[in-house]
Amino acid sequence: MQVVGYDTGTPALHLATSDGLDSVALDPGTELDYRLQDRHCAGTMHDGHHISCSNDGTPYCPDHRHTWVCAKCTGTCLKDEMDCYEDHAVYLAAFAPDTFKVGVTRLWRLETRLREQGADLAAHVRTFSDGRVAREYEAELATRLTDRVRVPTKIAGFGRDVDTDAWDALLSEFDPIDTFAFDYGLDLTDSPVAETIATGTVRGVKGRVLVVDHRGTTYAVDMRSLVGYELDTGGTDRDLQSSLGAFG
C-alpha cells in the first residue's frame, strides 16, 4: 500500500491498496504501526480510483505535479479567463511565537483555510468582491509581511505561545472584521521533534502536521513528506532522534 494523499480537515491519510482506496483516520489516540519503504510518485486520482505511477519524482513526478495558478496571482490574472467573481477575504495569521502572515481565500472557506494552515491566531481584515482586487491588496501588505510560512517554522513554534503584544500591535493598524483563536488539542509544552514516520500514538493534527508520541518522544510529521511512500506494517525500525525528556 502507498500513501497517496492526506486530509487536514477530517483528518486522515489516504492509502492506495490492492483493494482500492482506503483512509486511516488520524483521531487522537489512534495507533499507527507502519514502516516506510520505497518512495515514488503518488500517481493521481480519477473518478474515485487511484492511477499508480512508478516514476521517481516525489511526492509527484512532473507528469502528475499540478500548480494552482491562483496561488501565484498578485492581481494580474494568470488564467485564460478570470473566474474569481465572488467575495474574497484578506486575512492575517499568527504562528507562534512571532511569525505573521497575510493571505487571501474565498470568504466562505476562511476558517477552514486558517485551520488548514495551522494558524494559532488570525484576523479577517478586508473583504473584496473578487479575487483579483484581494490579491492586489495582499501583494501590497506582502511588502512588509510574509505571505508564506514553511512547515519547519511552524513546527518550531509548537508548544509555544504567540507574542500577543506584537500581534496586537499589528492588528492596531487595521479594523478587523473578525478574529480567531484556534486550539488543536495537542497539549504540548515543548516543540516536538521533526521526523518522517508513520508509527506512534496520534496526539493530533495541526494544519498538515501530524503529531505522534513514540517511545517517550513527541514527533511532528509533515504529512506531505509521507505522500508517495509504500508502507508495511510493524512500525518503524529506524533509529530516531529523541527528545531530552525521553531519557528521563
Side-chain angles (χ1 to χ4, degrees):
M1 57 187 157
Q2 183 189 26
V3 181
V4 295
Y6 56 89
D7 187 343
T8 62
T10 310
L13 288 177
H14 300 314
L15 307 180
T17 73
S18 58
D19 296 323
L21 290 172
D22 195 8
S23 290
V24 176
L26 299 175
D27 301 321
T30 298
E31 296 290 340
L32 300 178
D33 190 37
Y34 298 108
R35 181 182 299 120
L36 304 184
Q37 303 290 350
D38 293 337
R39 191 184 189 200
H40 57 87
C41 176
T44 188
M45 309 286 189
H46 183 69
D47 292 336
H49 299 282
H50 175 249
I51 301 173
S52 63
C53 176
S54 59
N55 291 342
D56 290 336
T58 58
Y60 302 100
C61 71
D63 291 340
H64 297 112
R65 190 178 300 132
H66 301 285
T67 300
W68 183 45
V69 296
C70 294
K72 296 183 177 181
C73 176
T74 58
T76 300
C77 188
L78 302 175
K79 295 181 177 180
D80 293 335
E81 184 176 349
M82 181 175 160
D83 60 2
C84 54
Y85 295 104
E86 61 180 304
D87 285 351
H88 280 63
V90 178
Y91 63 85
L92 304 176
F95 301 87
D98 55 6
T99 299
F100 305 138
K101 171 189 182 294
V102 59
V104 169
T105 189
R106 287 170 289 178
L107 180 60
W108 62 268
R109 71 182 313 274
L110 172 59
E111 186 167 345
T112 298
R113 180 60 181 146
L114 293 169
R115 286 187 173 277
E116 286 174 348
Q117 296 181 70
D120 294 303
L121 301 174
H124 174 194
V125 294
R126 290 287 298 274
T127 302
F128 294 93
S129 60
D130 65 59
R132 180 185 62 81
V133 181
R135 289 291 185 184
E136 288 178 346
Y137 184 63
E138 177 196 33
E140 178 184 330
L141 294 182
T143 60
R144 59 190 182 93
L145 295 171
T146 186
D147 58 1
R148 177 173 297 185
V149 183
R150 299 194 178 278
V151 168
T153 299
K154 296 178 182 180
I155 292 175
F158 282 20
R160 304 177 68 181
D161 296 326
V162 173
D163 182 341
T164 52
D165 288 340
W167 176 244
D168 290 343
L170 175 61
L171 293 193
S172 69
E173 302 175 30
F174 302 87
D175 184 15
I177 298 167
D178 200 359
T179 57
F180 305 84
F182 298 103
D183 183 357
Y184 299 88
L186 300 179
D187 194 27
L188 296 170
T189 55
D190 297 294
S191 295
V193 177
E195 259 292 358
T196 302
I197 57 171
T199 302
T201 304
V202 174
R203 185 181 283 254
V205 172
K206 183 178 182 182
R208 76 183 203 203
V209 179
L210 166 66
V211 180
V212 297
D213 294 321
H214 177 60
R215 294 182 178 176
T217 295
T218 301
Y219 295 99
V221 184
D222 181 353
M223 290 192 286
R224 182 176 169 81
S225 71
L226 294 175
V227 175
Y229 270 108
E230 298 282 351
L231 300 180
D232 200 355
T233 56
T236 185
D237 57 357
R238 292 166 40 217
D239 290 329
L240 304 174
Q241 179 182 346
S242 300
S243 64
L244 293 177
F247 298 99

